[in-house]
Amino acid sequence: MNYFLNEEQEMIRDLTRKIADEKIVPVRAELDEKEEFPREIMKVLAQSDLFGLFIPEEYGGLGKGSLELAIAIEELSRACLGVATSYSANALGFLPILLNGSEEQKKKYLPDIAAGKKLVAFALTEASAGSDAAGVQTTAVKEGNEYVLNGTKQWITNGGEAEINTVVAMTNKSKGTRGASMFVVEHGTKGFTYGKKENKLGIRASSTRELVFDNCRIPEENLISKEGMGFIIAMKTLDIARNGVGAQGVGVAQGALDASLDFAMERRQFGQAISSFQAIQHMLADMATQIEAARALVYAVARHIDAGEKEISKVSAMAKLFASDVAMKVTVDAVQIMGGSGYMKDYPVEKMMRDAKILQIYEGTNQIQRNVIGQALIKEGAKKK
Amino acid sequence: MKIVVCIKQVPDSADVKINPETNTLIREGVPSIINPFDMHAIEAGLQIRDKTGGDVAALTMGPPQAEGALREALSLGVNEAVLLSDRAFAGADTWATAYALAGAVKKLGADIILCGKQAIDGDTAQVGPEIAEFLDIPHVAYVRKIEEVKEGYIRVQRLMDEGYDIVESSLPVLLTVVKELNVPRMPSLKGKMAAKKAEIKKMNRDDIGIGEADLGLKGSPTQVKNIFAPEIKADRKMFEGSAEEQVKALVAEMRNIKCL
Ligand SMILES: Cc1cc2nc3c(=O)[nH]c(=O)nc-3n(C[C@H](O)[C@H](O)[C@H](O)COP(=O)(O)OP(=O)(O)OC[C@H]3O[C@@H](n4cnc5c(N)ncnc54)[C@H](O)[C@@H]3O)c2cc1C
């Protein structure tokens, strides 16, 4: 379908696809098998300026928007969702700095991030704070001109690989969600170590790790915005990033459709290609239709965000919810179309199916997305009265 | 260090079809790419530049649409792109092509000239060494590693059937490179955006000062009669006698089998 992309957007798609086909597809099975972080691929993405897409030109980036980011994420996800997750989580990590950082913080961190010299992680989740982000126990106590952090973040994407971490910690527990603050913690800071590295069902090329803060002292300049702004910044960050999860869904689903379509046209049973069976054609038709609908929604939400619209929570939750459900359904169906072959590691679809599941869980489960959408609807309804 | 990389735009296919009547390549309908070996030459040029400073120019002789290949080279990071184009170049064989390219290299000036070992559409592997001969400079073919480069000196590894040679040379030198040399980089978005707007330097036969007789079809002694993969014969013949006698016998034998 023609999405009226401009020449630069087409260029971003072409280049990302070229990298995906030439550098990612040949190694994705091995990265998955060995649960290996794709450092070499990250270098290629850096050299190609892809880490600078969403960062303004004055900080060394390309100054593009959500649509360009979605296109790049989609193409990476078509090849490997593990790689795409590492790339996307980087954006999730720098958004707090980009959205609410001071001029000094932006100047200090963004150019290296845009150049791909430093990777970023975003650390909100803890053992007691999953869907209920207000359960954060990590504390940040001001002592002189420093903050002292104590606590453990869990399941942090890019954990251990990132040079820069944006971390939510409580500066005033008695104030609940209004007592949380957002900090930058750099790799190598004393008192900051990495804990358990997870062994996962899917997106195994991405690193998911604990961040452990044990009397970790950081300078007060590392506070983003003001004390008490932590959750607001985190929610603003997620509002933008969630559409990227939608783009991941579109990409992995497209990859699965492509693989199963190729297979269906080759595989012969009962004297004919299985693609000649209506049962198979109808599955392919549904998959393609759902993917196109998801892509249309993700691109439309990206344009909505790029136009500077204020209300983005509801629509980005919709894009994440819909596209991730499509990704799950399409990847399961791709395995079904390919039968036993689909179940084997010789083909990429079993990995895509394992990978796709995460999209319904991270950056807020799909139940939580429905909560966000539902609450927005009720708010809108109340306004009309 | 001034580096010139000679690149060729070729059809994107390893098995190009040949028109059986004219014995020429059928190019219609096949997308164009930079000759894959030339991608390694570009990468080598960029790596030398990044180490020693200086600049890299990409040079191609071809029709106006060869500009596409030059823009791709620009997106990879070469400093300058030169299109050597003239109707009079049409029909050039490797001799006439190398003669024209040598003329352009002379105008541009170069310490190191890099070429791919061969073009995938013609597979002759002749143009690189021929350019060096026309320029009267040394060349090393099949370079698989560049060990050291400094002012006036280079040391490289040349891939051989069994193992490799280490070759030292003065500069200027021409190298033809094999794919083992490096992994070509991907273009960057900034490079691509800049390449779209960059100016391509154009040269024609007047700029390189070459007469009609040395150009294009007229300047091309080659006539293609048939194209086939050569049979590999591994005969060995030992000569006896004094060195002088052996050399005489060798020359006679080479004449006999039409090597000389
Ligand atoms: C691979 C991976 C990578 C991750 N990367 C990061 C990262 O980089 N940074 C980071 O901060 N976090 C990260 N996370 C954490 C992720 O965002 C959380 O897992 C997610 O928000 C859900 O929290 P939970 O797993 O604790 O589930 P829980 O909150 O315990 O939820 C369990 C179930 O209960 C449901 N549920 C909970 N509350 C409600 C409710 N109110 N209404 C209806 N249903 C509800 C949920 O939908 C879910 O089905 C990552 C997680 C994984 C698995």
Side-chain angles (χ1 to χ4, degrees):
Chain A
M1 220 164 102
N2 186 345
Y3 288 101
F4 302 98
L5 301 180
N6 64 31
E7 206 182 333
E8 274 182 4
Q9 289 158 348
E10 293 288 1
M11 190 191 276
I12 290 163
R13 182 185 301 284
D14 290 347
L15 178 61
T16 320
R17 183 172 293 181
K18 186 176 158 74
I19 294 171
D21 288 343
E22 292 179 22
K23 304 283 179 186
I24 303 176
V25 169
V27 297
R28 63 183 171 191
E30 193 187 336
L31 294 174
D32 174 61
E33 183 76 30
K34 294 190 182 157
E35 198 156 37
E36 189 178 303
F37 186 78
R39 289 201 189 86
E40 288 307 312
I41 294 168
M42 292 292 134
K43 273 189 210 151
V44 175
L45 299 181
Q47 207 172 42
S48 304
D49 298 326
L50 282 166
F51 283 110
L53 268 188
F54 201 71
I55 293 177
E57 283 173 289
E58 64 255 49
Y59 306 112
L62 291 163
K64 303 293 164 207
S66 290
L67 184 54
E68 287 81 1
L69 190 62
I71 290 167
I73 292 173
E74 178 187 341
E75 290 303 325
L76 295 177
S77 307
R78 210 173 49 90
C80 175
L81 201 56
V83 171
T85 290
S86 309
Y87 174 78
S88 309
N90 183 72
L92 182 67
F94 72 64
L95 275 166
I97 302 173
L98 184 64
L99 296 175
N100 283 82
S102 66
E103 191 54 32
E104 290 74 51
Q105 287 168 334
K106 289 181 191 175
K107 274 197 194 129
K108 181 171 177 195
Y109 299 113
L110 293 180
D112 281 349
I113 297 170
K117 284 186 197 149
K118 290 185 177 169
L119 199 66
V120 198
F122 174 82
L124 172 61
T125 303
E126 297 180 10
S128 57
S131 299
D132 180 12
V136 168
Q137 299 295 320
T138 297
T139 53
V141 177
K142 185 127 191 229
E143 280 184 16
N145 51 9
E146 289 178 331
Y147 282 96
V148 184
L149 271 63
N150 278 294
T152 300
K153 294 287 171 186
Q154 85 175 3
W155 304 345
I156 305 307
T157 304
N158 291 340
E161 302 292 337
E163 291 279 330
I164 298 168
N165 304 272
T166 44
V167 178
V168 178
M170 303 305 292
T171 39
N172 188 341
K173 271 198 176 161
S174 65
K175 286 195 182 162
T177 53
R178 299 211 168 263
S181 303
M182 182 76 77
F183 297 94
V184 177
V185 184
E186 294 185 55
H187 168 81
T189 307
K190 202 163 161 255
F192 169 34
T193 53
Y194 306 105
K196 182 175 176 222
K197 189 174 186 297
E198 301 299 336
N199 182 0
K200 306 191 292 288
L201 170 74
I203 56 164
R204 290 165 59 85
S206 74
S207 152
T208 314
R209 235 175 143 173
E210 273 180 351
L211 310 188
V212 183
F213 304 100
D214 180 13
N215 284 321
C216 171
R217 290 176 175 273
I218 54 171
E220 63 182 350
E221 302 92 83
N222 288 18
L223 170 70
I224 296 177
S225 182
K226 288 187 297 232
E227 281 189 18
M229 288 290 286
F231 277 119
I232 295 167
I233 299 170
M235 292 309 131
K236 272 168 66 181
T237 292
L238 287 166
D239 280 347
I240 291 178
R242 275 178 185 148
N243 194 52
V245 180
Q248 291 181 32
V250 174
V252 70
Q254 185 67 53
L257 173 62
D258 293 347
S260 56
L261 177 59
D262 277 354
F263 183 91
M265 286 163 58
E266 291 287 320
R267 172 72 176 163
R268 295 180 72 82
Q269 285 292 277
F270 300 98
Q272 53 201 307
I274 60 164
S275 60
S276 64
F277 302 130
Q278 198 179 48
I280 299 286
Q281 282 178 20
H282 281 188
M283 282 177 85
L284 290 166
D286 285 345
M287 289 155 78
T289 305
Q290 286 162 358
I291 293 169
E292 212 55 73
R295 183 179 288 119
L297 179 57
V298 167
Y299 287 10
V301 169
R303 287 188 157 122
H304 176 92
I305 296 171
D306 292 342
E309 291 287 337
K310 286 229 162 57
E311 287 303 326
I312 62 173
S313 295
K314 181 182 77 177
V315 291
S316 64
M318 287 174 166
K320 192 269 186 189
L321 167 68
F322 186 73
S324 62
D325 282 352
V326 164
M328 197 64 247
K329 178 158 188 353
V330 166
T331 53
V332 169
D333 287 350
V335 173
Q336 188 64 24
I337 286 174
M338 294 174 65
S341 300
Y343 199 74
M344 302 301 165
K345 300 223 173 196
D346 302 330
Y347 291 91
V349 291
E350 61 80 30
K351 169 182 179 300
M352 290 170 171
M353 180 179 121
R354 286 184 283 112
D355 287 351
K357 184 66 207 171
I358 192 59
L359 303 177
Q360 296 177 311
I361 297 172
Y362 66 16
E363 297 199 28
T365 64
N366 281 6
Q367 288 92 326
I368 295 300
Q369 306 307 317
R370 288 182 171 91
N371 288 355
V372 170
I373 298 163
Q375 281 153 14
L377 288 175
I378 288 161
K379 227 163 117 187
E380 286 167 19
K383 262 191 208 154
K384 278 192 201 134
K385 286 217 167 137
Chain B
M1 203 75 72
K2 169 88 192 185
I3 300 156
V4 174
V5 186
C6 301
I7 64 173
K8 184 181 187 186
Q9 193 176 43
V10 296
D12 183 6
S13 167
D15 56 343
V16 269
K17 300 218 166 45
I18 290 165
N19 180 335
E21 276 160 30
T22 57
N23 274 335
T24 51
L25 305 169
I26 305 170
R27 290 171 193 273
E28 286 77 37
V30 187
S32 298
I33 55 167
I34 294 179
N35 175 43
F37 293 107
D38 302 351
M39 294 295 284
H40 298 273
I42 294 172
E43 180 62 36
L46 296 172
Q47 286 185 13
I48 296 172
R49 176 198 66 188
D50 293 346
K51 243 185 243 158
T52 66
D55 62 37
V56 182
L59 166 67
T60 192
M61 177 176 131
Q65 58 267 32
E67 215 183 286
L70 291 173
R71 293 210 185 272
E72 195 183 333
L74 283 165
S75 77
L76 293 166
V78 307
N79 307 79
E80 189 186 10
V82 186
L83 176 64
L84 183 58
S85 196
D86 200 308
R87 273 173 195 280
F89 294 151
D93 66 357
T94 62
W95 176 283
T97 301
Y99 194 67
L101 284 170
V105 171
K106 226 182 259 174
K107 276 273 165 305
L108 294 169
D111 300 301
I112 299 175
I113 302 138
L114 291 156
C115 303
K117 76 160 178 163
Q118 66 196 53
I120 56 162
D121 58 348
D123 279 336
T124 71
Q126 290 168 1
V127 170
E130 283 174 353
I131 295 173
E133 290 309 309
F134 285 127
L135 291 171
D136 201 17
I137 60 169
H139 82 266
V140 187
Y142 307 116
V143 170
R144 62 157 228 181
K145 188 168 183 186
I146 295 171
E147 291 191 344
E148 194 186 343
V149 194
K150 57 186 186 199
E151 197 70 30
Y153 172 86
I154 193 162
R155 189 174 67 245
V156 301
Q157 292 181 5
R158 169 171 59 201
L159 184 67
M160 303 301 284
D161 280 342
E162 289 161 27
Y164 61 90
D165 297 336
I166 293 179
V167 185
E168 294 179 311
S169 172
S170 57
L171 300 185
V173 69
L174 183 142
L175 310 177
T176 79
V177 308
V178 294
K179 62 180 193 305
E180 289 80 357
L181 179 62
N182 54 38
V183 181
R185 68 193 62 188
M186 286 281 166
S188 69
L189 286 170
K190 282 183 192 166
K192 270 178 153 297
M193 286 169 193
K196 237 175 32 185
K197 295 184 213 126
E199 204 190 317
I200 305 268
K201 184 168 172 174
K202 302 222 165 68
M203 283 184 160
N204 58 27
R205 64 170 165 163
D206 296 331
D207 297 316
I208 55 173
I210 294 181
E212 193 84 31
D214 294 315
L215 288 175
L217 213 47
K218 275 191 198 142
S220 297
T222 316
Q223 281 187 10
V224 179
K225 286 201 171 147
N226 189 11
I227 298 172
F228 59 94
E231 219 180 291
I232 294 171
K233 284 198 216 127
D235 276 357
R236 179 180 302 194
K237 202 166 190 173
M238 303 300 284
F239 299 102
E240 313 236 317
S242 69
E244 207 169 313
E245 282 163 357
Q246 285 184 45
V247 170
K248 267 192 189 142
L250 174 64
V251 170
E253 181 62 27
M254 285 172 82
R255 287 225 166 91
N256 188 26
I257 61 167
K258 300 200 168 59
C259 269
L260 275 182

